[in-house]
Amino acid sequence: WQASTPVNEITGLWWLEGETVSALADGDAYVDLVVEDGRIRLTNEAGRVVCGLPYVGTIRTLPLGLDGYNVNGKPLALRGVTCRLLNSRGLEIGTSASDLEELPAATFSDWGAALEPFTGQFTASFFGGEGWAPEASVLIRQCYPLAADILGLTYELDVGE
């Protein structure tokens, strides 16, 4: 949906009547909007809006392994992970759903302007996370209607005996 003049009310959503939706409006995320009378109201005016039923994107990495080193059966302690991101916002990362840490929301921008997405590296420290486990992995979750491009992950871990 796109308008030549920014608006704060989106109409014509009859098929979503009574549903809770999420929206991306000029780069800002809106969650928990309820469609009433075929419309939603945004806090700020926007010229470009995409809205729909919300969903959560979840990634769990495969169990970690080290090239040229047999770690099968040996306990691993995942101490942290560095994420290389491109134009991303709203991601959470951790070793389980109960210890997720939100990655940087954005870089600073002008007051009232949409937040700019983050490009660069972010390091999350787990301080032991799930402790020693033979199947250490990383959980990444996106709950917002925002872009998330993960270019790579680098792990910090200890290998037990």
Side-chain angles (χ1 to χ4, degrees):
W1 188 90
Q2 197 164 344
S4 56
T5 304
V7 297
N8 68 345
E9 185 175 82
I10 309 302
T11 60
L13 303 175
W14 296 107
W15 74 95
L16 293 169
E17 185 66 31
E19 297 287 341
T20 300
V21 299
S22 293
L24 180 63
D26 287 346
D28 286 332
Y30 291 84
V31 295
D32 299 330
L33 301 170
V34 178
V35 178
E36 295 175 352
D37 295 326
R39 63 187 63 184
I40 58 171
R41 285 187 140 318
L42 304 173
T43 322
N44 299 313
E45 292 183 338
R48 182 171 169 77
V49 179
V50 177
C51 75
L53 297 173
Y55 63 92
V56 175
T58 304
I59 300 169
R60 175 159 302 277
T61 64
L62 293 170
L64 302 176
L66 301 174
D67 216 17
Y69 186 77
N70 183 8
V71 295
N72 292 336
K74 294 182 181 178
L76 299 174
L78 187 57
R79 302 297 183 202
V81 64
T82 298
C83 302
R84 183 179 297 269
L85 304 171
L86 176 67
N87 297 328
S88 300
R89 283 182 49 205
L91 285 174
E92 298 174 303
I93 188 166
T95 55
S96 70
S98 63
D99 76 342
L100 294 173
E101 176 181 345
E102 191 164 336
L103 275 62
T107 57
F108 289 104
S109 58
D110 293 332
W111 181 259
L115 295 173
E116 294 295 322
F118 179 80
T119 294
Q121 294 184 8
F122 173 76
T123 300
S125 297
F126 300 140
F127 303 109
E130 298 290 303
W132 292 93
E135 300 285 319
S137 64
V138 173
L139 180 73
I140 302 171
R141 183 169 64 189
Q142 175 61 284
C143 297
Y144 304 104
L146 296 168
D149 291 333
I150 303 166
L151 303 178
L153 301 173
T154 304
Y155 305 100
E156 181 183 335
L157 55 96
D158 292 332
V159 179
E161 293 300 318

